[in-house]
Amino acid sequence: MAGEIVYADLNIRGDSSLTSRPQPPHHLIFQGPCSKAETGALASHLRRRLCDSPQNSSAGPPGCRLCPLNWLLHGDKCYWLSKESKTWNESRKDCSAKSSRMLVIQDQRAMEFIKTITEGKYPVWIGLHLTTSKGNWTWVDGSLLNQTGVSLSAPDTGNSCGVWKENQIRGEICSGTFKWICQREAVLI
C-alpha cells in the first residue's frame, strides 16, 4: 500500500430492517505510505466498525460478513433482487455477470427470507430448471430438487424453469419474463 491512495465506501445501516432507508456511504481517503502497523490498525478499526453493526448480527456462522453495495446479507449469503424483468436464461446470465448465481433454496430459513424480501407480491425467477434429458428438476449448482413437501407442476412444453410465486416454488415457461434473485457467498473479514 506504500504510496497508494485507498478509497473505501462504507454503507453501515443503523438497523437490519429491510424497510429502513440506507444511509449514505461514508467516504474515507487514506493517502501516502502506510506502515504495516498503520495498515493493521486501519483494518482493525474497519472490522470493529463493520462487524459490530446490526447487519452482521443475523443468524449464521460466526464472523463478520460483508456484501456488495445494494445486496442484502442473510446468514452467510448475499442476495440481490432485480428491479426489471427478463427471461430465465437472461436472468441466469445477469447473475453470472455479477459473479453470482441464481437463487438456490437449500433450507426453510432461506425460504422464509425470500418470502420477506418478495413480500409475496410478485413472482421471481430462481435457479431451478427442468432438465429435458432426464426430466429432473435441477438447481443451477447441479443438485436435484428435493420434492418432499414441494408440489411442483410445470407446463407441458418441457421448457420449464423455477419461479418463486405466491410464496411457493412453481414451474413456468422459461421464455416468460419475471424479476430474479441472485446469490453469492458473503465475504468473511
Side-chain angles (χ1 to χ4, degrees):
M1 289 181 67
E4 295 181 17
I5 298 174
V6 178
Y7 295 92
D9 284 338
L10 305 177
N11 190 358
I12 304 169
R13 293 167 47 172
D15 66 68
S16 60
S17 166
L18 296 176
T19 58
S20 71
R21 189 177 193 149
Q23 298 299 312
H26 303 279
H27 298 282
L28 304 175
I29 301 174
F30 304 95
Q31 184 174 358
C34 293
S35 68
K36 286 185 181 182
E38 291 169 323
T39 303
L42 173 62
S44 178
H45 172 74
L46 289 174
R47 189 175 297 113
R48 271 194 319 276
R49 182 72 194 247
L50 295 171
C51 297
D52 293 342
S53 72
Q55 183 179 8
N56 270 295
S57 63
S58 61
C64 179
R65 299 189 184 309
L66 299 176
C67 292
L69 188 63
N70 299 320
W71 289 64
L72 301 171
L73 175 65
H74 182 71
D76 60 351
K77 303 250 186 310
C78 301
Y79 298 89
W80 180 85
L81 179 62
S82 73
K83 292 183 175 34
E84 59 185 301
S85 297
K86 292 185 177 189
T87 67
W88 189 87
N89 282 322
E90 291 169 335
S91 301
R92 184 177 184 175
K93 287 177 186 174
D94 182 75
C95 288
S96 182
K98 290 176 173 45
S99 299
S100 64
R101 67 177 182 209
M102 293 177 78
L103 173 68
V104 174
I105 300 174
Q106 297 171 330
D107 56 31
Q108 188 65 34
R109 203 173 104 232
M111 288 175 71
E112 292 301 321
F113 180 68
I114 301 310
K115 284 181 189 178
T116 302
I117 64 173
T118 62
E119 300 174 345
K121 293 181 180 177
Y122 46 85
V124 292
W125 287 124
I126 58 176
L128 186 65
H129 61 101
L130 186 63
T131 57
T132 54
S133 60
K134 297 180 183 171
N136 294 324
W137 282 98
T138 307
W139 292 103
V140 291
D141 68 359
S143 63
L144 295 176
L145 171 68
N146 178 356
Q147 293 194 28
T148 305
V150 177
S151 63
L152 186 59
S153 60
D156 293 333
T157 65
N159 181 22
S160 299
C161 293
V163 70
W164 180 260
K165 186 176 185 178
E166 298 170 355
N167 291 328
Q168 58 185 323
I169 298 171
R170 300 227 176 142
E172 294 284 341
I173 296 172
C174 299
S175 59
T177 58
F178 297 109
K179 295 180 180 190
W180 66 97
I181 299 177
C182 300
Q183 77 178 45
R184 63 189 289 176
E185 295 294 319
V187 175
L188 179 64
I189 62 166

